[in-house]
Amino acid sequence: MTITDYNNQQTDSYKAICDLLHKEIDKALPEAESKIWHAHPVWFLDGNPVAGYSKLKGCVRLLFWSGQSFNEPELQNEGKFKAAEKRYTDVNQVNTTDLHRWLEKARDIQWDYKNIVKRKGVLERLK
């Protein structure tokens, strides 16, 4: 499955959000590898996951694996590691200026998720 296939499976309003996120993330991180990973679109820099999105019940969640280190009040902490998220229910809620700033931080601030299993759940700062 491709990211486009994933987006095309969504209802119209969620597809619009997914299509916009896909376009903007590709534009901001042209060097990133993107693929479907654990059933949703994820972008990787040097094999490390940095950003992705998924359709949840009632919203599309944009996730930044190292987002808790971004110091961005619009992003909510997610999980027990360093991830942070933003949830959208309408494409008009996506502020592309904020999105591009967060994606810049996703490139510049990274925790090593690629080796988290090898390190038995311990995250180390890469950048």
Side-chain angles (χ1 to χ4, degrees):
M1 174 184 287
T2 67
I3 293 174
T4 301
D5 293 335
Y6 178 92
N7 293 354
N8 288 340
Q9 290 179 348
Q10 310 311 320
T11 60
D12 288 348
S13 59
Y14 295 130
K15 180 183 182 313
I17 298 167
C18 291
D19 286 344
L20 178 60
L21 292 174
H22 184 189
K23 181 183 88 172
E24 296 299 326
I25 297 170
D26 275 351
K27 187 189 319 180
L29 298 174
E31 74 278 26
E33 174 195 4
S34 60
K35 63 184 177 183
I36 299 296
W37 189 56
H38 296 289
H40 62 272
V42 177
W43 281 256
F44 297 81
L45 294 172
D46 298 319
N48 198 44
V50 295
Y53 58 85
S54 57
K55 167 64 179 72
L56 303 179
K57 185 175 182 175
C59 70
V60 173
R61 175 179 65 184
L62 172 64
L63 186 73
F64 295 99
W65 269 254
S66 300
Q68 289 183 26
S69 299
F70 294 1
N71 195 25
E72 289 283 346
E74 286 286 313
L75 297 176
Q76 303 300 309
N77 291 354
E78 163 59 31
K80 63 180 182 175
F81 294 109
K82 301 290 184 185
E85 68 177 16
K86 177 73 176 172
R87 294 184 179 207
Y88 302 104
T89 56
D90 186 272
V91 71
N92 295 319
Q93 296 171 335
V94 180
N95 179 321
T96 56
T97 302
D98 287 348
L99 178 58
H100 281 266
R101 185 178 64 254
W102 299 337
L103 290 164
E104 231 173 83
K105 290 182 178 187
R107 175 188 292 115
D108 296 341
I109 301 169
Q110 290 185 47
W111 289 83
D112 187 6
Y113 281 91
K114 181 170 65 172
N115 295 303
I116 195 170
V117 173
K118 186 165 67 177
R119 290 201 183 97
K120 298 180 176 29
V122 176
L123 276 178
E124 290 186 6
R125 182 86 181 246
L126 289 175
K127 298 180 177 191

